[in-house]
Amino acid sequence: MMITHDTRCALDAVVDLLNTAPEGDAPGATDSLTDLSALREFVARNAVSDVGTLGDRDLAAVRAVRSRFAGVFAAPDDRTAAERLNDLVAAAGTTPQLTDHDGYDWHVHYFAPGASVAEHLAADGGMALAFLVVAGERERLRHCEAPDCRFAFVDLSRNRSRRYCDSRTCGNRLHVAAYRARRREAAR
């Protein structure tokens, strides 16, 4: 599956946004998108372009978009995901435009000029997720299988086999625990 640079950036931003939410009932779960400083850090970390001065309305709107993206990841089937994406993208007022900036060749931005950061994320992120649905690849939208982690990720592995949000942390931790359990069992 070929994913262009701008689509990959939009998918990464969606995942990063989702992972700012508290992880459900996990102990110590906290929301890391609670103030304008955190929103500014998110915008900078994801190189979200064409963002003006951010305010409290932006924070609330981005958190609402985050919730809508979570609904797409949780959709039970493609039709439901498509309906949720259609609503999200339509509400963002998409206006596809070809652009080249910041050293990147021609690519498409789906947000309208002057769009808020929430509209920007909804349009570009919604379209990136829509491309996965259209390609029959919605199953690539996943949550970490580690029992104490539910972070979202997009499985871009060739054979769709990724199970953990990060193989160096969650995956490695579980593999080490399984190894130690086998060693303890063998020592008995």
Side-chain angles (χ1 to χ4, degrees):
M1 173 176 179
M2 187 183 131
I3 295 181
T4 62
H5 171 77
D6 52 315
T7 300
R8 176 64 190 263
C9 289
L11 289 172
D12 289 346
V14 168
V15 166
D16 189 20
L17 181 60
L18 286 170
N19 291 337
T20 65
E23 296 177 55
D25 298 327
T30 59
D31 190 331
S32 63
L33 192 61
T34 57
D35 58 27
L36 287 176
S37 176
L39 179 58
R40 286 185 197 99
E41 288 174 21
F42 170 83
V43 166
R45 186 171 60 244
N46 289 283
V48 180
S49 60
D50 297 331
V51 175
T53 304
L54 298 172
D56 290 331
R57 285 179 138 178
D58 293 304
L59 179 61
V62 168
R63 289 171 57 116
V65 166
R66 177 180 70 184
S67 177
R68 295 183 81 178
F69 281 141
V72 173
F73 267 67
D77 53 49
D78 287 351
R79 182 162 307 284
T80 304
E83 289 169 359
R84 291 175 181 174
L85 284 168
N86 284 339
D87 291 345
L88 178 69
V89 170
T94 57
T95 307
Q97 295 180 61
L98 284 170
T99 184
D100 63 340
H101 61 88
D102 299 330
Y104 296 108
D105 209 357
W106 290 106
H107 59 281
V108 179
H109 281 185
Y110 293 94
F111 58 94
S116 70
V117 65
E119 292 166 333
H120 178 128
L121 293 168
D124 277 359
M127 290 304 299
L129 293 172
F131 294 144
L132 291 177
V133 172
V134 167
E137 301 284 353
R138 190 180 63 85
E139 73 274 1
R140 290 182 182 271
L141 306 179
R142 300 203 175 146
H143 287 92
C144 186
E145 290 184 17
D148 59 342
C149 178
R150 292 298 296 154
F151 274 171
F153 66 93
V154 177
D155 179 3
L156 297 177
S157 66
R158 183 175 293 181
N159 63 356
R160 298 173 193 87
S161 62
R162 188 170 159 197
R163 298 174 50 207
Y164 306 109
C165 64
D166 187 339
S167 61
R168 291 182 309 243
T169 54
C170 288
N172 192 43
R173 186 170 33 83
L174 288 174
H175 289 118
V176 168
Y179 170 78
R180 289 179 179 160
R182 286 191 306 272
R183 298 275 297 182
R184 277 192 303 273
E185 190 61 36
R188 289 184 183 178

